[in-house]
Every structure is written in C-alpha cells, then in structure tokens.
Amino acid sequence: MVTNIADVCSCCPGPVRSGSSVARYCAVRPGLALQGRCCLRGEPEPGVIVGLDLGNCSLTSLCAGFPDASTAVVIDLTENPLENIPSTSFQGFTRLQSISLPRALQCPGGSMAWDLNTTLGDSRTCQGQRNLCNSSGELAWLCPENSQCSPDGPGLVQCLCSGNYHGYKCLREGTFPLLLFYGILGAVTTTLSLLAWGSQRRKAKAS
Amino acid sequence: MAVPRNLRRQPANGSLVSHCTHHHIAVFLLTFFSYSLLHASRKTFSNVKVSISSQWTPSDLNTTALELQPYELWNSSHLFPNAEEATLFLGTLDTIFLFSYAVGLFVSGIVGDRLNLRWVLSFGMCSSALVEFVFGTLTEWLHFYNKWFYCCLWVVNGLLQSTGWPCVVAIMGNWFGKAGRGFVFGLWSACASVGNILGAFLASCVLQYGYEYAFLVTASVQFAGGIIVFFGLLISPKEVGLPELGEEQEGSAEEDANKPLISNNEEEEEDQNYSIQAPDTSNQPKAIGFFQACCLPGVLLYSLAYACLKLVNYSFFFWLPFYLSNNFGWKEAEADQLSIWYDVGGIIGGTIQGLISDMLQKRAPVLAISLLLAIGSLFGYSRSPNSKPINALIMAITGFFIGGPSNMISSAISADLGRQELVKGNSEALATVTGIVDGTGSIGAAVGQYLVSLIQDNLGWMWVFYFFILMTSSTILFISPLLVREIRLLLHERRLRMRTG
C-alpha cells in the first residue's frame, strides 16, 4: 500500500464508523476496502480514496492532509465542532457526490452547487455536485479567449486551455517546427554564402 | 538613368549603366537586405508588444472577487500589475533604444572607417541577433523576467544595431558614384520600409507559437544575413581590382570644370583650412577624426537639418497608426495598413528627387523645394477629411515631400559629404560622416517622440502638426546656407556653358 494515504486516513483514530454514509457506500460496491478512516479502491487504482469518514473526530478545522482526499466520492464530516470551512478546501474535489456536514455549516460552494440539500437531525447532507460550467443561469462562467471552463470542485470552476492552445494565458498554439526552420535556414544560408563567396569574394584581395 | 548634361560634358566618364557590373548588383542587394533585416527585427519588437505585455502581467479581470483558476495559468506573472504599465515600459524601451542607437551611430561610423567595413557590419548583425535572441527568446524559455535586464539588453542592442547604417551607406558610397547616386540611393533607401514589411510578415507568421518565436525567427534570419555578408560582400571596387570611384568619376570632370570658376569661392578657402588641419593625409588612406569629420563643409548643417527632419519623419512612423485610430476612430489593423502609404510616398519621393538632383548635380535646391511643399502638405494633412482614400492620398503626398528628402539626406547626401573633394586624400571618412549625420538625426527623433506625446497630451493633435511645420521650416533654415552656395554654383556653371557653348 502507498504510505502517504495514511495521513488523512489516520488523522483521526479508529476505523470508518459502521452505519456512516462512507461505510454504506463501501459495503455495496465490490473491489473497495476500508483502511483507517478511508474507503480505498483496489485494482486498477489501488490506494485511491473514494470515501472519507471523519465523523466524531473533534475537528475544529480540516486535517492537513485533507487535499489528498480530492478523489473522494463520499465524505462524512458530521459530529465535529467545525465552525467554518474555506471554500477553497474542496478545490479539485470533482468526483464528490455526497458530503455530510454538521448542520450549522452550509454546503461547500453554496447550495446551488448541489442538486440536493437535506438536513437530518444534527447533520446536513449535500448530494449531486452540479457542473457550474454547464449551467446557463446566473453563474454562466466566461473563460478568456482560447480556454474553456472545467469543473474544479463544488462551486468552483477553472479555465483550462482548449484544443491546441497552451502556455501562460493559453496564448500559444501548436509547437514551432524548430528543426524544420533551422534546417531550411541553414541550407539557404550555406547556399547563399557559397554562391556569394564564389561569385564575389573569391578573387578579392585582402584589403 | 544616364544624365544627359553630364554625358555631353564628359563622354569618357560614361553613364551609370556601363559601369554597372554584377558586383554592383550583388553589393546593392547585400547591403539592401542586411539593413532590411536589421530593420525587420526592430519592427518585430513593435509588432509583438501586445503579446509581450500579456506575458508580463496577470490576467486583468474587472471583477476582482472571481480570480481565474488555476493560478499558475492565469496570474503567476507579476512583472507589471497591468497592461498600461507594461505598455509604458515598452515605450521606455523604445526611447532607450533610440538614444543608445544615436550614440552608437557616432561611434560605429568611426569604428567602421578604422576597421574593415565588412567585419563591422557582419559583427553588428550577428551580435545584435544574439542580443535579440536573449531578449525575446531565452528569457521566455527560462521564465526570467527582469526590467533592468531588459533595459540593459536593449541599450546593447541599440549600440550593436547602429553599426548597420554607417557601414552599408559607406559601402554603397564606395561602389556608386556621385553621378547616379541620388537615384540609386533613393531606390536603395526603400530597404528600411522593406524591412518593416518583412518584419511585420515574419512576426505575424509565427506569433501563434508565442512571441519568443517571432524573436527567434527574425534574430536567426538576421544572424544568417550576417554570415552571408561576411562571405559575400565586397566593400569597395578595389577589392576585385576595379578602379576606385574617386579616381575616375568624382574627381575628374565635374570638379575640374568648376575649379577655375570657384577659385574665389569659400569652398577653396575651406580646402586650404582643411589641409592646414590635416597636412599629412595625402599619400595613404587614413581614417578621418571625429572632429575633423564634423568640420567638413556641410556635415554640421546637414546633421542639424536632419535632426529636425528625422524628428518629423519618425514621428510619422511611430504615431501615424495611433493618430488615425485616435482621431478618426478607425480600427487599429486598418490604420496600420493605411500608414504604409506614407512609406510608399517616401520611397517614390526619394527616388524621383534623387534622380532630379542627379540631373541638376545639386541636391540642396531639390531638398528645399520639396520641404517647402512638405509644409503645404502637412497643413493639408492636418485638415484631411474623414475619408480613407483621401487621407491615404494626402498621406502619400506628405511621405513624398518629407520621407523623400529624409531618405536623401541620410543616404545620398551622407555619401556625397563623406566622399567629397576635401577628403579624397583619405577616403575613409564615409562611415564617420554617415554616423554623424544619422546620429544627430536619431537624437532629434528620440527627443521628438517625447515631445510629440507631450504636445498631444496637453495641446491636441493640431498643435502636433504645427510643431511638425515648425521643424520642417527649421530644416529649410539649416540647409539655406548650402542652398545659397549651390545655387550660386549652378549659375556659374550655366554662365560657363553659355560662354563655351
């Protein structure tokens, strides 16, 4: 097993709580395995976090290794004294489909980033992450020239270069044919130099 | 091409055509394209300015709350906080370049006359190509952006680029005699405009791959040009055993015919003064000193005249597209295309006026008449209606009367001055004189860029045109002593012809 996944999976002692949404998710799908607080994928992507249960961990803020769980589909953060989660904490969490939080907290990225926003007892569950790039509503995102919108976690989008464009601000298109250019230039220069030398300077006296 | 009166008087001397060997054509083309390439790389810089300032700044969004992600892609470059400051810096680079170019011209002329012109030209082209490569391509590949580094590189580039003009004019002056010089040089001075078109074309072809490739391509082509010049350029007819110009064309008939007539003339006096200053220059061609070159008759006056005229001419180059899009609200690309007509007028003007001055064998009267008409056309242009064809026509006419004389002073007249009777003993004055004339002119141009923006900001475009008219009048003022002398000479010649014929 990859060692660094343990960081976020062991930031809270104990295993995934039975009965939590992560445990339920893991149980019904074949090929998944529980380790620490995580539900991990087996072959062909061993060690990839698909579920993370940090419920009842007395967390006041998210663990340091939290960004490692960006592949997670299900996350449980209930029963924690969490006060506020910065919106950028979930940057890159594009696969996230269900997150449970203490009731006092809003869904990450706002409720309009989710299809369903339900409360049950002390917890809030946000389900079905929306792709803001496809929404034609108020938050239709405009990316600069040569780039296109791409989801980047709940309520977050990024602009990535489209097609052949690359480089800073997607200003460049294609790759310069360096070899071809220098090949042609070298050949032309050699020919013209020889031609000019032969017709002009060959008979020149040193001045 | 042949000059009728000239032929009648000196049939043995022959016309331009009979002396035109394949060496002449090769020299014409090699010098033409080497200066074109130098100018092309300057034009590249002005054509990629938008891309460079984009590369140097973070993304400019009206809504600061929504920052574009990922950060590295959109906002990681912070050389300048916004496009305005980057544009200001690019303008500063232009000014730095012009000043260091002007200083360099004074130096390179002197160096060119003392070392081999071919080495200096070839070295200037190759080394300036390397500096441009470092400036535009290497810094981008290494992501090393530093304002001071850019400034230093552009100072060095100005100095190295300045080797071009004095050397190519000197070489052309060695090959093409005074008889047809006005016409040949008029045609030849299209090299700067051809360079501009070439630079714009090369830059627009590869700009999609990134601005660094625009620099890479123009710098590489310029480097290649330097190599070809090194292997192929003959700097003077004597290198292949052809007779030198001074011996057979310039000295003999014209000056001999004039000698008895102008014996009481001031030119003779200056001749004596000069030989006192430099008594031992008759046997061996030795390079002339900087101050000696300044003291040659006509050099100082033409330099000052050129400072005023190049100011107007360069202001047109730099400000015309901006004026058109600013004043008439035309699109920038259209304004860029339209401003080509000024160049076209300049090339035609330089060639035709050169031809007329060859026939007259005097250049100052042609300049003076053209400049008087230039004042009129400037006045007309400042009142041009909002119509593209009419504007283009008046623009071409203005180019004809301003660009023409400007081309003539910087090339044909510089060559005349550097190969005049007084320096015949030491023929290596050509590059020095060209450097002085063009250097003074470039200082005028550099100061002018600043003044034009100042006047335009505070007083408006109309006053910019009044300023141009003032500068053109100053040019006439500076050449008026030469004009008086040349007209007197013309009258003498006519009287002589009437008496003999």
Side-chain angles (χ1 to χ4, degrees), chain A residues 91 144 147 158-159 167-169 172-173 175-176 178 181-182 185 189 192-193 196-197 199-201 204-205 207, chain B residues 22-23 26 54-55 57-58 68-69 73-74 76-77 118 140 208-209 212-213 220 224 231-234 239:
Chain A
Q91 190 162 24
S147 68
Q158 57 184 346
C159 294
Y168 186 59
K169 293 186 184 173
R172 293 164 175 81
E173 189 191 8
T175 39
F176 182 76
L178 210 59
F181 171 71
Y182 277 116
L185 186 71
T189 309
L192 284 179
S193 293
W197 185 80
S199 68
Q200 305 296 317
R201 284 208 64 84
K205 289 169 278 184
S207 55
Chain B
H22 70 95
H23 294 304
S54 213
Q55 184 74 42
T57 52
L68 282 172
Q69 294 290 342
L73 183 60
W74 299 105
S76 57
S77 185
R118 177 171 59 100
E140 176 55 39
Q208 55 160 333
Y209 303 113
E212 65 269 29
Y213 290 104
S220 304
F231 284 112
L233 188 64
L234 292 163
E239 277 199 305

Side-chain angles (χ1 to χ4, degrees), chain B residues 227-495:
Chain B
I227 293 173
I228 296 170
V229 161
F230 183 81
F231 284 112
L233 188 64
L234 292 163
I235 56 169
S236 136
K238 70 179 170 191
E239 277 199 305
V240 280
L242 289 171
E244 252 192 296
L245 277 179
E247 294 161 14
E248 50 128 23
Q249 248 186 325
E250 256 161 314
S252 56
E254 194 191 327
E255 262 84 11
D256 287 349
N258 292 339
K259 267 272 150 65
L261 290 163
I262 57 166
S263 55
N264 297 326
N265 208 294
E266 52 181 320
E267 215 170 310
E268 193 75 1
E269 270 171 52
E270 283 171 51
D271 201 351
Q272 282 160 5
N273 284 347
Y274 184 74
S275 50
I276 292 163
Q277 280 172 6
D280 58 345
T281 50
S282 48
N283 294 332
Q284 185 195 355
K286 208 180 110 194
I288 194 169
F290 178 76
F291 291 105
Q292 287 174 316
C294 286
C295 292
L296 289 173
V299 170
L300 212 57
L301 284 174
Y302 269 124
S303 298
L304 291 172
Y306 191 49
C308 298
L309 194 57
K310 194 170 184 178
L311 188 158
V312 180
N313 200 29
Y314 258 59
S315 300
F316 263 95
F317 279 129
F318 280 117
W319 292 92
L320 198 53
F322 182 67
Y323 166 74
L324 292 176
S325 57
N326 192 324
N327 199 46
F328 297 109
W330 299 341
K331 275 187 212 129
E332 212 168 7
E334 279 180 317
D336 275 340
Q337 283 173 359
L338 211 64
S339 61
I340 291 174
W341 287 105
Y342 182 82
D343 275 299
V344 173
I347 296 169
I348 299 174
T351 313
I352 292 181
Q353 288 165 29
L355 192 61
I356 297 171
S357 72
D358 284 346
M359 291 178 182
L360 278 177
Q361 299 189 338
K362 298 285 168 287
R363 309 220 192 269
V366 182
L367 282 184
I369 292 168
S370 170
L371 289 171
L372 276 176
L373 293 169
I375 293 177
S377 61
L378 274 172
F379 194 76
Y381 190 68
S382 68
R383 277 157 182 76
S384 161
N386 190 348
S387 148
K388 280 169 202 160
I390 296 177
N391 194 288
L393 182 71
I394 309 179
M395 194 192 294
I397 293 171
T398 314
F400 187 95
F401 290 127
I402 289 178
S406 184
N407 284 353
M408 202 150 86
I409 294 179
S410 64
S411 54
I413 288 177
S414 294
D416 287 349
L417 292 173
R419 287 196 70 96
Q420 59 185 298
E421 176 79 342
L422 299 179
V423 279
K424 191 93 78 38
N426 57 3
S427 63
E428 316 295 339
L430 209 39
T432 308
V433 169
T434 308
I436 292 169
V437 174
D438 206 30
T440 319
S442 296
I443 290 177
V447 173
Q449 297 325 298
Y450 176 70
L451 286 180
V452 166
S453 67
L454 207 67
I455 294 172
Q456 190 258 322
D457 270 350
N458 294 316
L459 298 165
W461 282 110
M462 203 43 89
W463 282 95
V464 173
F465 282 101
Y466 293 144
F467 176 62
F468 288 167
I469 290 173
L470 178 75
M471 285 295 116
T472 312
S473 312
S474 311
T475 312
I476 301 177
L477 197 71
F478 282 123
I479 62 166
S480 57
L482 303 157
L483 180 71
V484 169
R485 200 176 70 190
E486 292 199 358
I487 288 180
R488 216 190 292 162
L489 269 171
L490 258 181
L491 294 176
H492 273 302
E493 277 172 40
R494 171 170 290 184
R495 222 174 297 153

